[in-house]
């Protein structure tokens, strides 16, 4: 039986084709991630400005929660797409639920370690989510403290108004 010989040129062509496909997928994901980043950043900046403007308190909480839901779905979808297209970027994501779980664990800053970014692109995507988390937590903290301050101010003003009416 004659040993099978491999054509080194065919192996190089296959390797080059695999590299080309990987580059195209990573480039496409980079474009999608950049677009998502710009859209999310624009929405975050608008929402933070709105939060700090002091207009319509009830709408602000609903807007902040809606923004949170949209961003969680966007990051979960991005992580799933990255995991499906390049299996060496995120270790542990096999299903959509895994990507949602990873998004929520990252957002809650828990970090169990069972799913983690391995590749540079995935680490960049996780970094974008961490920056969003910092901005979101800052806006939420600002909202909660301003509500507590307003509630405290209104309690202080009520007894003074009642004393003026009695006197």
């Amino acid at each position: 039986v004659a040993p099978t010989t491999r054509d080194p040129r065919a192996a190089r062509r296959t390797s080059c084709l695999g590299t080309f496909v990987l580059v195209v997928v990573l480039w496409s994901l980079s474009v999608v991630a950049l677009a998502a980043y710009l859209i999310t950043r624009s929405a975050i900046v608008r929402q933070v400005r709105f939060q700090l403007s002091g207009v319509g308190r009830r709408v602000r909480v609903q807007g902040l929660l809606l923004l949170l839901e949209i961003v969680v779905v966007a990051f979960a979808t991005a992580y799933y797409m990255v995991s499906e297209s390049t299996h060496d970027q995120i270790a542990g994501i096999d299903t959509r639920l895994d990507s949602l779980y990873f998004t929520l664990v990252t957002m809650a800053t828990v970090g169990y370690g069972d799913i983690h970014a391995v590749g540079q692109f995935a680490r960049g995507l996780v970094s974008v989510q961490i920056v969003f988390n910092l901005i979101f937590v800052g806006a939420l903290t600002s909202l909660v403290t301003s509500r507590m301050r307003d509630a405290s101010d209104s309690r202080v003003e009520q007894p003074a108004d009642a004393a003026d009416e009695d006197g």
Side-chain angles (χ1 to χ4, degrees):
V1 176
T4 58
T5 58
R6 288 189 157 178
D7 182 13
R9 288 179 291 176
R12 268 187 260 137
R13 278 192 302 258
T14 304
S15 174
C16 288
L17 180 63
T19 303
F20 175 75
V21 169
L22 181 63
V23 167
V24 168
V25 167
L26 288 176
W27 183 83
S28 300
L29 286 172
S30 298
V31 169
V32 169
L34 178 63
Y37 167 73
L38 292 174
I39 291 168
T40 304
R41 191 186 106 210
S42 171
I44 290 169
V45 168
R46 273 186 305 210
Q47 187 64 29
V48 168
R49 283 184 184 158
F50 182 70
Q51 294 296 328
L52 298 176
S53 70
V55 178
R57 298 225 182 267
R58 298 287 179 227
V59 176
R60 294 186 333 162
V61 173
Q62 292 170 351
L64 204 55
L65 292 176
L66 178 63
L67 179 64
L68 176 66
E69 292 171 8
I70 290 170
V71 168
V72 165
V73 169
F75 276 112
T77 303
Y79 291 138
Y80 184 73
M81 288 173 51
V82 168
S83 178
E84 283 296 305
S85 61
T86 57
H87 297 289
D88 61 342
Q89 289 291 314
I90 303 175
I93 291 184
D94 298 320
T95 65
R96 289 179 185 96
L97 184 59
D98 289 341
S99 65
L100 179 63
Y101 165 79
F102 180 63
T103 302
L104 293 174
V105 166
T106 303
M107 186 159 287
T109 66
V110 176
Y112 293 119
D114 52 344
I115 300 174
H116 58 279
V118 177
Q120 295 300 306
F121 181 78
R123 289 179 179 176
L125 188 58
V126 171
S127 298
V128 170
Q129 183 183 357
I130 290 169
V131 169
F132 168 80
N133 293 349
L134 292 173
I135 293 170
F136 179 79
V137 167
L140 186 61
T141 303
S142 171
L143 177 65
V144 169
T145 56
S146 69
R147 283 199 172 208
M148 291 174 64
R149 196 171 345 161
D150 291 347
S152 175
D153 290 346
S154 67
R155 278 191 224 129
V156 169
E157 290 174 8
Q158 286 176 354
D161 292 339
D164 290 338
E165 290 174 6
D166 292 336

